[in-house]
Amino acid sequence: FGGSVPQHVRDRSFEMVRRADKLLIVGSSLAVWSSFRLCKEAAAHGKPIAIVNTGETRADPLAELKLDQGGCGTILEDLVARLGLD
């Protein structure tokens, strides 16, 4: 918090976003630029973004899905059950 992300971590993060099919954000407001710019990168490459977070995030306008009713743990448990992954 407050420090710069090392270049090698930033580069690896962007590479992971580029290789991903989708981006899932859990429990973050994305207030820090270093995390929000990964969402912008995903959106720029047409990758769907889903956000599980109580309250607004900077990337809400970029998200195809936003789940915010209840805590993140509860939402994820319900999602796993609905998808039959439990």
Side-chain angles (χ1 to χ4, degrees):
F1 294 94
S4 295
V5 175
Q7 184 68 39
H8 72 279
V9 173
R10 186 179 143 232
D11 292 345
R12 178 75 174 127
S13 299
F14 273 89
E15 178 62 27
M16 291 173 77
V17 167
R18 284 186 208 105
R19 294 178 62 184
D21 295 329
K22 305 163 190 63
L23 187 62
L24 174 63
I25 308 299
V26 179
S28 176
S29 66
L30 302 168
V32 177
W33 175 249
S34 57
S35 57
F36 177 57
R37 70 179 163 196
L38 295 173
C39 295
K40 291 180 67 78
E41 179 74 9
H45 290 280
K47 297 175 188 267
I49 300 170
I51 300 173
V52 178
N53 188 67
T54 303
E56 294 182 26
T57 79
R58 290 173 75 177
D60 284 357
L62 304 175
E64 290 190 20
L65 176 65
K66 171 74 184 283
L67 301 172
D68 64 357
Q69 299 299 314
C72 292
T74 302
I75 292 169
L76 289 175
E77 287 174 356
D78 183 48
L79 185 58
V80 166
R82 288 179 186 221
L83 295 173
L85 301 173
D86 51 350

